[in-house]
Amino acid sequence: MHNYHDQFGFLNGGRENVDNGRFSYRVTESGSTLYSVSEAGFVPSDWTLALKTKLYSGKTLKLAAQHLVSIPLGNPNSGAGAHLPGFGFSLIASGAWNWFKSTTQIGASVVPPPEALDSLMRPISLGWMQNFEFKLIPSLSLLVQWQGETPRFKNTDNIGLTIIPLDLIIGFSGTAFERDSRHLFWQVGFSEDPLGKGASIDLSPYRDWE
């Protein structure tokens, strides 16, 4: 991780100050530990259900509304979920012109924090996303996405928790096995928090298909 960040000039977010292979995070207030997780592993997290409603569909411009419901199936004590359901709503606008496509999303979400962190976290946050898609060949596109949200933490002197979390995602998408207007859609990407200070996901590969 350190070598990768050094190679591309990304910040390490303080990882250089601790031993490699160590996983833990702890929230303290006036010397007392409010919340801590010290074990890494694969655990179930909250499930999110999404419903998208088409508002307008033109030749080049499309508008939609997205509703989200988070089901609290994860364990808050393992850092994998909230203790109550969450909700979200956003508006999505996309436009396509030949080899180029742009998608903008703006919305808000309500996610109750763990009970121990009620005094330090806001339940409501505003988020945004800007995605650009460049078609390289008919079945392959380059994706560049920039996304962020308002800080969830409050009443803290830790600057790293009060700046806007940002993520930059670069990847590819395409289609395969086309037959009778049906095809396999796939996308693969790589996420990085360019600031290296906020509460962003540090390094996250992802993939999707349908």
Side-chain angles (χ1 to χ4, degrees):
M1 180 68 71
H2 293 173
N3 293 337
Y4 155 74
H5 278 186
D6 293 340
Q7 181 68 31
F8 292 95
F10 296 134
L11 299 177
N12 277 312
R15 293 174 201 81
E16 67 275 10
N17 299 322
V18 298
D19 297 333
N20 289 331
R22 176 186 173 188
F23 174 87
S24 68
Y25 58 89
R26 183 174 67 253
V27 179
T28 62
E29 183 179 34
S30 301
S32 300
T33 298
L34 300 180
Y35 187 76
S36 65
V37 176
S38 58
E39 295 184 3
F42 291 96
V43 294
S45 62
D46 294 350
W47 287 17
T48 300
L49 303 179
L51 174 64
K52 187 181 294 185
T53 304
K54 184 185 300 182
L55 301 179
Y56 173 79
S57 181
K59 292 183 178 181
T60 59
L61 178 64
K62 300 181 186 297
L63 300 176
Q66 181 171 264
H67 309 264
L68 299 176
V69 177
S70 177
I71 303 175
L73 298 179
N75 184 358
N77 295 327
S78 63
H83 64 291
L84 294 172
F87 306 91
F89 174 80
S90 63
L91 294 174
I92 305 171
S94 63
W97 302 271
N98 297 324
W99 52 269
F100 174 73
K101 181 180 179 181
S102 174
T103 302
T104 303
Q105 183 173 6
I106 300 175
S109 62
V110 179
V111 181
E115 293 181 285
L117 300 180
D118 280 341
S119 63
L120 296 176
M121 295 188 70
R122 301 180 178 92
I124 301 176
S125 64
L126 304 178
W128 58 269
M129 180 278 294
Q130 179 62 56
N131 175 281
F132 297 110
E133 179 178 338
F134 304 90
K135 188 173 292 293
L136 304 177
I137 58 176
S139 59
L140 180 65
S141 297
L142 170 67
L143 304 177
V144 179
Q145 181 168 309
W146 186 261
Q147 62 189 37
E149 64 176 350
T150 55
R152 294 286 309 278
F153 283 88
K154 62 180 182 178
N155 301 328
T156 175
D157 295 328
N158 189 328
I159 298 178
L161 296 178
T162 57
I163 64 175
I164 296 177
L166 295 174
D167 284 298
L168 174 64
I169 301 174
I170 299 177
F172 296 91
S173 68
T175 58
F177 308 111
E178 297 189 27
R179 178 185 296 180
D180 298 331
S181 300
R182 296 183 178 182
H183 60 264
L184 172 70
F185 170 80
W186 61 269
Q187 63 179 8
V188 60
F190 179 82
S191 174
E192 173 66 31
D193 56 330
L195 295 180
K197 294 182 179 180
S200 297
I201 298 174
D202 176 72
L203 169 62
S204 176
Y206 72 92
R207 55 91 184 106
D208 187 21
W209 65 85
E210 62 183 48

